Amino acid sequence: MLFLISKITLILIIVISVTLILALVFILFKMIHKERKVKIDDNFMTTMLNSLGGIDNIKSYSVENARVKFELVNVSLANLDALKELSPKGVFVSNNSVKTLFKYESSDIVKNLSKIKKYEKDRIFCRHGIEHLLDVARIGCIYLAEY
């Protein structure tokens, strides 16, 4: 009887040990192969939006086969050469549709565009870019310095 209890205890210890080792290997594997998300640079988003003719020129956007698809109001407002500099894989244009693959995750770009669109919706001031903001600030400083 004593031999039987020891055998059961030994088997139980082996099963628990193997389970713990497998759990450790699984956790280490997940930690090593954890996908590291790259934060999208604000400068990239600004350049991309300016290249597309501004946020108001974008009718809709979505992810199609890992690419970002933009439906534009007016394609002639888009600077496709500047957009090609942002996209190492090229830019595909057909009618009012622009498809491209950026160095960032396409779903993250679409999420950022949704945030920007939401913030821009209720904006009461002009919808120009940061360059315009700085130009107006410079003019304001010059104007105040003269008086």
Side-chain angles (χ1 to χ4, degrees):
M1 185 75 178
L2 186 60
F3 177 72
L4 186 61
I5 293 174
S6 298
K7 198 173 186 180
I8 292 174
T9 306
L10 182 64
I11 291 172
L12 189 60
I13 290 172
I14 290 172
V15 168
I16 291 173
S17 300
V18 168
T19 305
L20 286 174
I21 290 171
L22 287 175
L24 269 170
V25 167
F26 179 75
I27 290 170
L28 287 173
F29 181 78
K30 282 291 189 182
M31 287 175 61
I32 291 170
H33 290 90
K34 187 177 182 181
E35 191 174 309
R36 296 181 185 139
K37 289 217 170 196
V38 178
K39 187 179 182 302
I40 298 177
D41 184 23
D42 289 338
N43 189 32
F44 170 82
M45 289 298 293
T46 303
T47 307
M48 182 192 70
L49 285 172
N50 289 338
S51 300
L52 290 167
I55 194 79
D56 292 329
N57 194 37
I58 302 173
K59 241 195 285 189
S60 65
Y61 44 86
S62 60
V63 177
E64 281 189 10
N65 301 326
R67 288 185 170 83
V68 182
K69 178 184 178 186
F70 301 98
E71 288 292 331
L72 302 180
V73 176
N74 187 353
V75 176
S76 63
L77 294 177
N79 182 352
L80 298 177
D81 292 329
L83 198 59
K84 286 176 187 174
E85 289 179 18
L86 294 175
S87 176
K89 302 284 185 179
V91 177
F92 306 101
V93 180
S94 64
N95 297 332
N96 287 346
S97 174
V98 176
K99 292 181 187 177
T100 186
L101 185 63
F102 297 108
K103 64 180 178 180
Y104 298 106
E105 195 69 36
S106 296
S107 59
D108 292 340
I109 291 173
V110 167
K111 285 177 191 172
N112 278 6
L113 283 171
S114 296
K115 285 181 187 177
I116 291 170
K117 197 86 159 165
K118 183 179 98 177
Y119 294 141
E120 291 288 320
K121 181 181 174 190
D122 298 326
R123 187 170 163 184
I124 58 173
F125 301 109
C126 70
R127 298 183 182 271
H128 295 97
I130 190 74
E131 295 85 11
H132 178 71
L133 171 77
L134 293 174
D135 290 340
V136 171
R138 279 189 209 97
I139 292 169
C141 286
I142 292 168
Y143 180 77
L144 287 174
E146 290 177 354
Y147 291 101

